[in-house]
Amino acid sequence: MKKLIIDGGFPLGGSVKLQGAKNSALPILAATILCDGECCIDSCPRLSDCDASMDIIRYLGRGVRREDNCVIIGDGSISRYDIPESLMREMRSSIIFLGALIAKTGHASVSFPGGCELGPRPIDLHISAFRQMGVTVSENHGLIDCTVRGKLKGATISLPFPSVGATENIILAAVTAKGTTVISNAAREPEITDLVCFLVNCGARICGAGESTITIEGVERLDGTYHRIIPDRIEAVTYMSAVAASGGSAELRGAVPEHLRAVVPIFEEMGCNIVSHDGIIRLTAPKRLGAVKYIRTMPYPGFPTDAQAIVMAVATVCGGTSIFVETIFSGRYRHVDELRRMGANIKIEDRVAIVEGVNSLSGTSVDSTDLRGGAALIVAALAAEGRTEISSVHHIDRGYENIENKLSSMGAKIKRV
Ligand code: UD1
């Protein structure tokens, strides 16, 4: 069982380069199964979730290899339409292969993703959209079977909630469908725009990415292409939080400030100085951080749910009271018990967390409850007095490339054992 050992209390400095965005890489890797030619996905982060996606593509019949930062999807053709449960279980977002598989082969048979560490994660919006596009969907013994006679049909789909995964799945199903698909109340996350950018380079006809209405005109086929993944905005928030909580001053390289518009004002409210120029963001923490009055997680361009736990870790050592409201996932406060073990003062009432800042946290043994909850514990450990041991590091490895090396290069005392 791998652990991270962190000795806290050392202000971070220097600079760190951001990885490619996990949440772009996963749908883009799924999208490559639609392409006839070779795809080269640059800045594809080295994460266990990306490895799981590569395994799925291999299983389905395409050759996949990594050359430095690029993942190359080369020879072979898609010869299967099932994804075994073992591969589905490795990565919960594997449901993102559903739309692409149906579009490519007319079938998909995958196991139900089930509940996850963030609470129930239904896929009713995905299924309802596929049905509107002519897919027959049946669910038996935890398996979802999807079949379409002939080609998928374009449809006008109105999402009751701007689900990221459902928007991506509909786009992937619609790119080679017969006719035009219009998604209203689509998710507007930068990762959706990145997926669309990739698909358009492959020959897809899509407009409106980044807006609430996306229109997709089906094309006959897609070619391969070269695509560079956008920088990971949640990794950016993580390093900003680590620098702030440790009382340091450091640069993030490759950041896109526009993607961080909901986040930068929060750090400014805490008293951090933030300057950005030419893809670099420098954050300098004040002597004592101030509380943030109110953070409500919302779909993009609102404050991201993926940043909630991480920023909460900073709030635990701010002077004053910070209030968080988690509106996206019901089960997303599992890190709170672990932060409390380190001395944090947090009260939870349903979807509201009230954080009373303490003067200091103290290092102890804690367990990563999920990917971002684990990242929050790292941030807390960097601020804490003494040594923190974080277990269940595999959760953190799903989303962070080389996290201990990057933090060490910024002056953190961190090692993996
Ligand atoms: C994606 C991100 C995840 C992020 C989340 C919200 C990836 C790989 N993952 O997850 O990191 O936290 O967006 O920004 O990109 N819902 C339904 N029915 C559905 C689909 C979703 O009720 O069919 C609900 C979910 O339970 C949740 C909310 O909608 O409460 C948001 O989910 P969604 O936007 O779909 O998140 P994911 O795509 O799973």
Side-chain angles (χ1 to χ4, degrees):
M1 186 77 130
K2 287 179 210 151
K3 282 187 179 179
L4 288 174
I5 312 281
I6 299 174
D7 289 318
F10 297 92
L12 299 189
S15 86
V16 68
K17 184 167 181 349
L18 297 176
Q19 68 188 33
K22 169 180 88 78
N23 287 354
S24 277
L26 301 180
I28 288 173
L29 286 172
T32 63
I33 70 167
L34 288 166
C35 302
D36 291 334
E38 182 175 282
C39 293
C40 174
I41 311 302
D42 199 348
S43 297
C44 187
R46 288 173 196 271
L47 304 171
S48 52
D49 271 10
C50 291
D51 291 341
S53 296
M54 289 162 67
D55 285 342
I56 291 175
I57 298 171
R58 256 181 226 118
Y59 176 84
L60 294 172
R62 293 285 305 260
V64 187
R65 64 183 195 280
R66 191 178 258 285
E67 285 180 12
D68 300 323
N69 272 341
C70 293
V71 168
I72 296 164
I73 292 87
D75 49 0
S77 56
I78 301 302
S79 55
R80 313 187 65 119
Y81 59 83
D82 64 306
I83 303 179
E85 204 192 337
S86 54
L87 289 175
M88 284 296 286
R89 227 184 300 119
E90 263 181 57
M91 183 188 56
R92 300 199 193 266
S93 350
S94 45
I95 204 70
I96 200 61
F97 276 88
L98 209 50
L101 256 185
I102 305 169
K104 188 70 181 174
T105 69
H107 302 276
S109 175
V110 303
S111 60
F112 203 76
C116 80
E117 64 267 13
L118 307 182
R121 222 156 167 174
I123 54 162
D124 53 315
L125 305 179
H126 306 233
I127 301 291
S128 152
F130 292 147
R131 287 196 168 121
Q132 290 173 69
M133 298 179 78
V135 181
T136 305
V137 184
S138 59
E139 292 171 35
N140 310 305
H141 308 294
L143 273 187
I144 310 165
D145 272 303
C146 300
T147 312
V148 64
R149 280 213 188 155
K151 278 194 130 191
L152 283 156
K153 289 192 286 288
T156 298
I157 297 162
S158 177
L159 288 174
F161 178 86
S163 154
V164 174
T167 303
E168 291 166 347
N169 247 334
I170 299 167
I171 293 172
L172 292 175
V175 272
T176 54
K178 191 169 183 320
T180 303
T181 299
V182 179
I183 314 173
S184 55
N185 199 23
R188 298 166 58 195
E189 270 67 3
E191 294 77 18
I192 303 234
T193 309
D194 203 24
L195 168 67
V196 167
C197 213
F198 165 78
L199 289 167
V200 166
N201 283 342
C202 295
R205 298 178 69 176
I206 307 173
C207 55
E211 294 163 29
S212 296
T213 304
I214 301 179
T215 306
I216 307 124
E217 250 182 79
V219 296
E220 274 303 310
R221 58 181 291 278
L222 295 181
D223 272 324
T225 192
Y226 166 89
H227 180 80
R228 185 192 289 263
I229 306 259
I230 56 169
D232 196 310
R233 63 196 166 99
I234 306 301
E235 194 203 24
V237 178
T238 309
Y239 288 114
M240 288 168 82
S241 299
V243 175
S246 73
S249 174
E251 278 181 1
L252 310 186
R253 286 179 280 124
V256 183
E258 197 190 319
H259 296 169
L260 296 164
R261 272 210 197 134
V263 169
V264 165
I266 300 292
F267 286 99
E268 287 174 337
E269 199 184 334
M270 290 175 177
C272 297
N273 179 260
I274 297 181
V275 185
S276 56
H277 63 93
D278 307 325
I280 292 178
I281 293 184
R282 170 168 283 279
L283 182 145
T284 305
K287 279 214 163 58
R288 173 81 161 119
L289 292 161
V292 268
K293 293 204 174 41
Y294 186 71
I295 291 181
R296 185 182 171 85
T297 63
M298 294 290 280
Y300 191 85
F303 186 89
T305 173
D306 286 349
Q308 176 256 109
I310 302 162
V311 172
M312 188 183 290
V314 188
T316 64
V317 289
C318 287
T321 307
S322 304
I323 295 180
F324 291 74
V325 183
E326 172 56 59
T327 74
I328 309 290
F329 289 108
S330 57
R332 213 161 195 185
Y333 283 142
R334 292 182 57 200
H335 51 281
V336 166
D337 275 343
E338 301 304 304
L339 289 174
R340 282 181 184 141
R341 288 167 59 81
M342 299 177 72
N345 182 352
I346 306 171
K347 290 186 193 67
I348 301 284
E349 254 183 56
D350 194 18
R351 294 203 171 216
V352 179
I354 301 162
V355 184
E356 299 284 354
V358 294
N359 283 335
S360 65
L361 299 172
S362 42
T364 185
S365 297
V366 286
D367 190 44
S368 292
T369 49
D370 59 86
L371 165 56
R372 305 302 171 187
L377 296 178
I378 293 181
V379 169
L382 292 166
E385 284 174 6
R387 175 166 288 196
T388 302
E389 276 192 30
I390 304 176
S391 53
S392 304
V393 178
H394 60 279
H395 287 302
I396 300 172
D397 292 337
R398 286 186 39 229
Y400 295 91
E401 192 177 65
N402 275 331
I403 190 157
E404 65 269 31
N405 294 346
K406 286 187 178 181
L407 286 170
S408 293
S409 77
M410 297 169 85
K413 307 289 173 232
I414 176 170
K415 63 181 181 207
R416 184 181 287 247
V417 292

